[in-house]
């Protein structure tokens, strides 16, 4: 038997077994309906180092994400800076950003949260994916795919089969912090633990990575409040 006590969720729609570790350190096995216990135990054994690393991962959120509330006068975090959201009395077709201020047509105010989130997610796609490719090349690693998700308690994650998951909210952090999370997850493709060798790999790419770590420690929860 596995030393972990996983919660097992069966689904008709799954083709493969996936593992996740929740913030409360609950290991969850997502398996196709009908998967035998023996198969699950074999996977848990094969992935035991990955599971142990996830259970000890330092990039967990200090608090669960809050529901974003955006209203005129709100500040929106984007690439580490805050920008005022204002409403325009004239019709504005969508959310507009001029590099300093966000403007939203007053009629769209009820949809403000969704519009801001959609805009930030689009920016996250445009900024994060090319950087992952660039750092992956620099580190000489290959990954299966990149996904930007609404990760509940993490900025980034690397799955047992080399898929890289990033929280779209990362686009709200300064550029150097985005780079740090990207390099951190990519470095795990070389070294799964947080040994001195791991931090050495990170430092070669980003000599000032400690600053990014400190920034996250001090400001990580703040980003959540503003969605
Ligand atoms: Zn890590």
């Amino acid at each position: 038997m596995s030393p972990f006590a996983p919660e097992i969720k069966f689904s008709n729609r799954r083709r493969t077994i996936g593992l996740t570790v929740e913030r409360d350190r609950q290991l969850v096995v997502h398996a196709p309906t009908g998967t035998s216990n023996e198969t699950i135990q074999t996977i848990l054994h094969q992935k035991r180092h990955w599971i142990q690393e996830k259970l000890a991962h330092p990039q967990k959120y200090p608090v669960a994400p809050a529901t974003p509330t955006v209203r005129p006068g709100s500040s929106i975090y984007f690439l580490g800076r805050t920008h005022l959201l204002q409403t325009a009395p004239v019709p504005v077709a969508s959310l507009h950003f001029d590099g300093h201020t966000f403007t939203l047509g007053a009629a769209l105010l009820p949809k403000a949260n969704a519009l801001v989130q959609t805009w930030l997610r689009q920016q996250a796609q445009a900024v994060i994916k090319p950087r992952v490719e660039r750092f992956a090349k620099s580190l000489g690693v290959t990954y299966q795919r990149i996904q930007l998700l609404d990760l509940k308690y993490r900025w980034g994650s690397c799955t047992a089969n080399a898929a890289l998951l990033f929280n779209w909210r990362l686009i709200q952090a300064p550029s150097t912090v985005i780079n740090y999370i990207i390099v951190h997850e990519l470095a795990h493709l070389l070294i799964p633990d947080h040994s001195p060798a791991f931090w050495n790999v990170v430092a070669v790419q980003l000599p000032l990575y400690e600053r990014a770590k400190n920034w996250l420690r001090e400001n990580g929860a703040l980003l959540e409040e503003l969605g």
Side-chain angles (χ1 to χ4, degrees):
M1 278 298 278
S2 162
F4 312 108
E7 180 186 330
I8 300 169
K9 292 185 179 170
F10 290 106
S11 162
N12 290 324
R13 297 200 317 225
R14 284 201 77 94
R15 295 252 175 274
T16 56
I17 295 178
L19 304 178
T20 55
V21 176
E22 305 298 321
R23 186 181 187 238
D24 59 4
R25 292 167 190 267
Q26 175 65 52
L27 173 67
V28 183
V29 178
H30 307 269
T33 306
T35 306
S36 71
N37 184 48
E38 197 186 358
T39 304
I40 291 171
Q41 293 305 325
T42 303
I43 297 270
L44 289 173
H45 183 72
Q46 284 169 353
K47 303 294 184 189
R48 63 192 184 283
H49 298 301
W50 178 85
I51 295 166
Q52 277 155 2
E53 139 70 12
K54 289 293 126 178
L55 291 172
H57 205 282
Q59 276 169 235
K60 298 195 191 293
Y61 281 140
V63 291
T67 309
T69 3
V70 181
R71 56 178 74 87
S74 285
S75 291
I76 295 169
Y77 273 90
F78 176 54
L79 290 174
R81 288 169 191 249
T82 56
H83 301 277
L84 189 71
L85 177 77
Q86 62 181 20
T87 49
V90 292
V92 174
S94 59
L95 183 70
H96 178 72
F97 181 59
D98 65 5
H100 298 283
T101 307
F102 288 91
T103 306
L104 188 68
L108 293 171
L109 206 51
K111 294 184 193 163
N113 281 348
L115 287 167
V116 169
Q117 197 177 118
T118 301
W119 189 89
L120 288 170
R121 281 173 180 263
Q122 285 166 351
Q123 298 298 317
Q125 290 275 353
V127 169
I128 293 172
K129 289 195 172 181
R131 288 198 199 181
V132 174
E133 282 171 30
R134 177 159 57 86
F135 281 116
K137 244 179 226 162
S138 180
L139 282 158
V141 294
T142 51
Y143 52 89
Q144 200 197 47
R145 63 175 196 278
I146 306 166
Q147 264 184 292
L148 289 167
L149 299 169
D150 205 341
L151 295 177
K152 289 296 173 206
Y153 302 106
R154 287 192 200 101
W155 294 111
S157 186
C158 176
T159 73
N161 45 12
L164 298 167
L165 314 180
F166 295 101
N167 191 328
W168 63 266
R169 290 182 176 85
L170 199 50
I171 197 64
Q172 298 185 280
S175 212
T176 52
V177 173
I178 297 174
N179 291 346
Y180 163 66
I181 298 289
I182 290 171
V183 169
H184 185 118
E185 296 309 333
L186 286 170
H188 275 318
L189 295 173
L190 295 170
I191 302 168
D193 55 31
H194 294 116
S195 58
F198 170 84
W199 292 113
N200 202 32
V201 168
V202 173
V204 167
Q205 298 297 319
L206 305 169
L208 300 177
Y209 78 91
E210 289 278 3
R211 287 191 196 172
K213 274 177 87 174
N214 291 339
W215 190 94
L216 278 171
R217 202 172 297 131
E218 284 164 23
N219 300 285
L222 193 62
L223 296 184
E224 292 312 315
E225 290 169 21
L226 298 163

Coordinates of all heavy atoms in Angstrom, one line a residue, residues 53-54 57-59 180 184-185 188 192-194 198-199, ligand 1:
E53 N 7.8 15.8 -3.2 CA 8.2 17.1 -3.5 C 7.0 18.1 -3.4 O 7.1 19.2 -2.9 CB 8.8 17.1 -4.9 CG 8.4 18.3 -5.8 CD 9.0 19.7 -5.4 OE1 9.9 19.7 -4.5 OE2 8.5 20.6 -6.0
K54 N 5.8 17.7 -4.0 CA 4.6 18.5 -3.9 C 4.2 18.8 -2.5 O 3.8 19.9 -2.2 CB 3.5 17.9 -4.7 CG 3.7 17.8 -6.2 CD 3.6 19.2 -6.8 CE 4.9 19.4 -7.6 NZ 4.9 20.7 -8.3
H57 N 6.3 21.6 -1.2 CA 6.5 22.7 -2.0 C 6.3 24.0 -1.3 O 5.3 24.2 -0.7 CB 5.6 22.6 -3.3 CG 6.2 23.3 -4.4 ND1 6.1 24.7 -4.5 CD2 6.8 22.9 -5.5 CE1 6.7 25.1 -5.7 NE2 7.1 24.0 -6.3
P58 N 7.2 25.0 -1.5 CA 7.1 26.3 -0.8 C 6.2 27.3 -1.4 O 5.9 28.3 -0.9 CB 8.5 26.8 -0.7 CG 9.1 26.3 -2.0 CD 8.4 25.0 -2.3
Q59 N 5.7 27.0 -2.6 CA 5.0 28.1 -3.4 C 3.5 28.0 -3.2 O 2.8 28.4 -4.0 CB 5.3 27.9 -4.9 CG 6.6 28.6 -5.2 CD 7.0 28.3 -6.6 OE1 8.1 27.8 -6.8 NE2 6.2 28.5 -7.6
Y180 N 10.9 34.2 -12.3 CA 11.3 33.3 -11.2 C 10.4 32.1 -11.2 O 10.9 31.0 -11.1 CB 11.3 34.1 -9.9 CG 11.4 33.1 -8.7 CD1 12.5 32.3 -8.5 CD2 10.3 32.9 -7.9 CE1 12.5 31.3 -7.5 CE2 10.3 32.0 -6.9 CZ 11.4 31.2 -6.7 OH 11.4 30.3 -5.7
H184 N 11.7 28.4 -11.9 CA 11.5 27.4 -10.8 C 10.9 26.1 -11.3 O 11.4 25.0 -11.0 CB 10.7 28.1 -9.6 CG 10.6 27.2 -8.4 ND1 11.1 27.6 -7.2 CD2 10.0 26.0 -8.2 CE1 10.8 26.7 -6.3 NE2 10.2 25.7 -6.9
E185 N 9.8 26.3 -12.0 CA 9.1 25.1 -12.5 C 9.9 24.3 -13.5 O 10.0 23.1 -13.5 CB 7.7 25.5 -13.0 CG 6.8 26.0 -12.0 CD 6.6 25.2 -10.7 OE1 6.8 24.0 -10.8 OE2 6.4 25.8 -9.6
H188 N 12.6 22.2 -12.1 CA 12.2 20.9 -11.5 C 12.2 19.8 -12.6 O 12.2 18.6 -12.2 CB 10.8 21.1 -10.9 CG 10.8 21.6 -9.5 ND1 11.7 21.2 -8.6 CD2 10.0 22.5 -8.9 CE1 11.4 21.8 -7.4 NE2 10.4 22.6 -7.6
P192 N 14.1 17.4 -9.2 CA 12.7 17.4 -8.6 C 12.6 18.1 -7.2 O 11.6 18.6 -6.8 CB 12.3 16.0 -8.6 CG 13.5 15.2 -8.7 CD 14.5 16.0 -9.4
D193 N 13.7 18.0 -6.5 CA 13.7 18.5 -5.1 C 14.2 20.0 -5.0 O 14.5 20.6 -6.0 CB 14.5 17.6 -4.1 CG 15.9 17.4 -4.6 OD1 16.4 18.4 -5.2 OD2 16.5 16.4 -4.4
H194 N 14.3 20.5 -3.7 CA 14.8 21.8 -3.5 C 16.2 21.8 -2.9 O 16.5 22.5 -2.0 CB 13.8 22.6 -2.6 CG 12.5 22.9 -3.3 ND1 11.3 22.4 -2.8 CD2 12.2 23.6 -4.4 CE1 10.4 22.8 -3.6 NE2 10.9 23.5 -4.6
F198 N 19.5 22.4 -7.0 CA 18.3 23.0 -7.7 C 18.4 24.5 -7.7 O 18.3 25.2 -8.7 CB 17.0 22.5 -6.9 CG 15.8 23.3 -7.3 CD1 15.1 22.9 -8.5 CD2 15.4 24.4 -6.6 CE1 13.9 23.6 -8.9 CE2 14.2 25.1 -7.0 CZ 13.5 24.7 -8.2
W199 N 18.7 25.1 -6.5 CA 18.8 26.5 -6.4 C 20.0 27.1 -7.2 O 19.9 28.2 -7.7 CB 18.9 27.0 -4.9 CG 17.7 26.7 -4.2 CD1 17.5 25.8 -3.2 CD2 16.4 27.3 -4.4 NE1 16.2 25.8 -2.8 CE2 15.5 26.7 -3.5 CE3 15.9 28.2 -5.3 CZ2 14.1 27.0 -3.5 CZ3 14.6 28.6 -5.3 CH2 13.7 28.0 -4.4
Ligands
LIG1 ZN1 9.6 23.8 -6.2

